Amino acid sequence: MRYCFVLLTMLLSGCTTPNNALLKEAQDVQVRTNNVPLIQNCQWVGEVIGSEGHWYSYLFYNNDVLVRGAINDIKNKAHQIDANTVVLLSPHYFKTSATLVGTAYHCPSH
């Protein structure tokens, strides 16, 4: 019985945490929406996409978990290309996942 309780607890705790964990190095990446004046002195680095979820995810994850995972993913990818700011384009929300598309910039100390 104890093993069933431990297994159930592990399964339920997994449902509140996104698969994409935020890298420690990516914690300072800023994600913004429509802040064009703030990026005028920044260097464009590239485009990044962050996603969380699969066709079955809606059974186990709330929308906020899916969005948090997509934000973690886009921050991690921005960090990997030496960007410290991401300006989001239109987010794409599906019933089963969340996908964010953005342009990545390296800005002087923000």
Side-chain angles (χ1 to χ4, degrees), residues 2 7 9 15 40 52 59 62 64 74 94 103:
R2 175 185 265 181
L7 181 61
T9 302
C15 296
Q40 288 178 347
E52 178 77 34
L59 296 170
N62 293 329
D64 58 335
I74 207 167
F94 306 101
T103 51

PDB file of all heavy atoms in Angstrom, residues 2 7 9 15 40 52 59 62 64 74 94 103:
ATOM      1  N   ARG A   2       1.927   1.214   0.774  1.00  0.00           N
ATOM      2  CA  ARG A   2       2.829   2.357   0.854  1.00  0.00           C
ATOM      3  C   ARG A   2       3.441   2.658  -0.508  1.00  0.00           C
ATOM      4  O   ARG A   2       3.574   3.807  -0.892  1.00  0.00           O
ATOM      5  CB  ARG A   2       3.914   2.077   1.879  1.00  0.00           C
ATOM      6  CG  ARG A   2       4.965   3.180   1.929  1.00  0.00           C
ATOM      7  CD  ARG A   2       6.070   2.841   2.846  1.00  0.00           C
ATOM      8  NE  ARG A   2       5.792   3.448   4.139  1.00  0.00           N
ATOM      9  CZ  ARG A   2       6.593   3.357   5.168  1.00  0.00           C
ATOM     10  NH1 ARG A   2       7.677   2.641   5.088  1.00  0.00           N
ATOM     11  NH2 ARG A   2       6.292   3.940   6.290  1.00  0.00           N
ATOM     12  N   LEU A   7       4.034   5.981  -5.461  1.00  0.00           N
ATOM     13  CA  LEU A   7       3.912   6.038  -6.915  1.00  0.00           C
ATOM     14  C   LEU A   7       2.879   7.078  -7.328  1.00  0.00           C
ATOM     15  O   LEU A   7       3.124   7.879  -8.233  1.00  0.00           O
ATOM     16  CB  LEU A   7       3.538   4.663  -7.470  1.00  0.00           C
ATOM     17  CG  LEU A   7       3.397   4.572  -8.980  1.00  0.00           C
ATOM     18  CD1 LEU A   7       4.709   4.913  -9.676  1.00  0.00           C
ATOM     19  CD2 LEU A   7       2.941   3.178  -9.373  1.00  0.00           C
ATOM     20  N   THR A   9       1.918   9.717  -5.636  1.00  0.00           N
ATOM     21  CA  THR A   9       2.469  11.032  -5.324  1.00  0.00           C
ATOM     22  C   THR A   9       3.458  11.478  -6.387  1.00  0.00           C
ATOM     23  O   THR A   9       3.445  12.626  -6.820  1.00  0.00           O
ATOM     24  CB  THR A   9       3.153  11.011  -3.940  1.00  0.00           C
ATOM     25  OG1 THR A   9       2.197  10.599  -2.961  1.00  0.00           O
ATOM     26  CG2 THR A   9       3.711  12.369  -3.578  1.00  0.00           C
ATOM     27  N   CYS A  15       2.736  16.070 -12.807  1.00  0.00           N
ATOM     28  CA  CYS A  15       1.715  16.763 -13.580  1.00  0.00           C
ATOM     29  C   CYS A  15       1.702  18.257 -13.328  1.00  0.00           C
ATOM     30  O   CYS A  15       1.016  18.987 -14.013  1.00  0.00           O
ATOM     31  CB  CYS A  15       0.332  16.184 -13.268  1.00  0.00           C
ATOM     32  SG  CYS A  15       0.166  14.467 -13.767  1.00  0.00           S
ATOM     33  N   GLN A  40      15.939  48.930 -29.389  1.00  0.00           N
ATOM     34  CA  GLN A  40      16.569  49.746 -30.428  1.00  0.00           C
ATOM     35  C   GLN A  40      18.085  49.684 -30.378  1.00  0.00           C
ATOM     36  O   GLN A  40      18.737  49.772 -31.406  1.00  0.00           O
ATOM     37  CB  GLN A  40      16.091  51.186 -30.330  1.00  0.00           C
ATOM     38  CG  GLN A  40      14.649  51.356 -30.773  1.00  0.00           C
ATOM     39  CD  GLN A  40      14.170  52.783 -30.631  1.00  0.00           C
ATOM     40  OE1 GLN A  40      14.810  53.610 -29.984  1.00  0.00           O
ATOM     41  NE2 GLN A  40      13.031  53.073 -31.224  1.00  0.00           N
ATOM     42  N   GLU A  52       6.028  23.279 -25.303  1.00  0.00           N
ATOM     43  CA  GLU A  52       5.794  22.323 -24.218  1.00  0.00           C
ATOM     44  C   GLU A  52       4.496  21.601 -24.541  1.00  0.00           C
ATOM     45  O   GLU A  52       3.502  22.225 -24.894  1.00  0.00           O
ATOM     46  CB  GLU A  52       5.658  23.041 -22.881  1.00  0.00           C
ATOM     47  CG  GLU A  52       5.356  22.125 -21.714  1.00  0.00           C
ATOM     48  CD  GLU A  52       6.560  21.346 -21.218  1.00  0.00           C
ATOM     49  OE1 GLU A  52       7.680  21.865 -21.265  1.00  0.00           O
ATOM     50  OE2 GLU A  52       6.370  20.200 -20.789  1.00  0.00           O
ATOM     51  N   LEU A  59      -4.330  15.847 -20.867  1.00  0.00           N
ATOM     52  CA  LEU A  59      -4.858  14.925 -19.868  1.00  0.00           C
ATOM     53  C   LEU A  59      -4.168  15.086 -18.514  1.00  0.00           C
ATOM     54  O   LEU A  59      -4.742  14.771 -17.474  1.00  0.00           O
ATOM     55  CB  LEU A  59      -4.698  13.475 -20.333  1.00  0.00           C
ATOM     56  CG  LEU A  59      -5.480  13.081 -21.584  1.00  0.00           C
ATOM     57  CD1 LEU A  59      -5.031  11.706 -22.068  1.00  0.00           C
ATOM     58  CD2 LEU A  59      -6.968  13.094 -21.312  1.00  0.00           C
ATOM     59  N   ASN A  62      -2.107  21.315 -16.664  1.00  0.00           N
ATOM     60  CA  ASN A  62      -2.907  22.531 -16.799  1.00  0.00           C
ATOM     61  C   ASN A  62      -2.251  23.438 -17.828  1.00  0.00           C
ATOM     62  O   ASN A  62      -1.053  23.307 -18.112  1.00  0.00           O
ATOM     63  CB  ASN A  62      -2.987  23.272 -15.461  1.00  0.00           C
ATOM     64  CG  ASN A  62      -3.759  22.500 -14.424  1.00  0.00           C
ATOM     65  OD1 ASN A  62      -4.679  21.754 -14.760  1.00  0.00           O
ATOM     66  ND2 ASN A  62      -3.400  22.683 -13.167  1.00  0.00           N
ATOM     67  N   ASP A  64      -1.303  26.509 -17.507  1.00  0.00           N
ATOM     68  CA  ASP A  64      -0.203  27.285 -16.952  1.00  0.00           C
ATOM     69  C   ASP A  64       1.098  26.490 -16.923  1.00  0.00           C
ATOM     70  O   ASP A  64       2.180  27.048 -17.097  1.00  0.00           O
ATOM     71  CB  ASP A  64      -0.541  27.852 -15.575  1.00  0.00           C
ATOM     72  CG  ASP A  64      -0.907  26.787 -14.550  1.00  0.00           C
ATOM     73  OD1 ASP A  64      -1.361  25.705 -14.944  1.00  0.00           O
ATOM     74  OD2 ASP A  64      -0.737  27.049 -13.343  1.00  0.00           O
ATOM     75  N   ILE A  74      11.959  28.597 -24.417  1.00  0.00           N
ATOM     76  CA  ILE A  74      12.399  29.725 -25.244  1.00  0.00           C
ATOM     77  C   ILE A  74      13.546  30.486 -24.576  1.00  0.00           C
ATOM     78  O   ILE A  74      14.466  30.957 -25.241  1.00  0.00           O
ATOM     79  CB  ILE A  74      11.214  30.646 -25.626  1.00  0.00           C
ATOM     80  CG1 ILE A  74      11.522  31.365 -26.940  1.00  0.00           C
ATOM     81  CG2 ILE A  74      10.861  31.615 -24.526  1.00  0.00           C
ATOM     82  CD1 ILE A  74      10.319  32.034 -27.566  1.00  0.00           C
ATOM     83  N   PHE A  94      -2.615  25.535 -28.264  1.00  0.00           N
ATOM     84  CA  PHE A  94      -3.415  24.418 -28.727  1.00  0.00           C
ATOM     85  C   PHE A  94      -4.011  23.768 -27.481  1.00  0.00           C
ATOM     86  O   PHE A  94      -3.602  24.059 -26.371  1.00  0.00           O
ATOM     87  CB  PHE A  94      -2.545  23.419 -29.495  1.00  0.00           C
ATOM     88  CG  PHE A  94      -1.764  24.059 -30.615  1.00  0.00           C
ATOM     89  CD1 PHE A  94      -0.423  24.364 -30.466  1.00  0.00           C
ATOM     90  CD2 PHE A  94      -2.383  24.359 -31.815  1.00  0.00           C
ATOM     91  CE1 PHE A  94       0.297  24.948 -31.491  1.00  0.00           C
ATOM     92  CE2 PHE A  94      -1.670  24.939 -32.840  1.00  0.00           C
ATOM     93  CZ  PHE A  94      -0.333  25.239 -32.685  1.00  0.00           C
ATOM     94  N   THR A 103      11.727  36.735 -31.422  1.00  0.00           N
ATOM     95  CA  THR A 103      12.996  37.188 -31.964  1.00  0.00           C
ATOM     96  C   THR A 103      13.927  37.446 -30.783  1.00  0.00           C
ATOM     97  O   THR A 103      13.528  38.049 -29.787  1.00  0.00           O
ATOM     98  CB  THR A 103      12.823  38.467 -32.814  1.00  0.00           C
ATOM     99  OG1 THR A 103      12.091  39.426 -32.065  1.00  0.00           O
ATOM    100  CG2 THR A 103      12.074  38.156 -34.091  1.00  0.00           C
TER     101      THR A 103
END
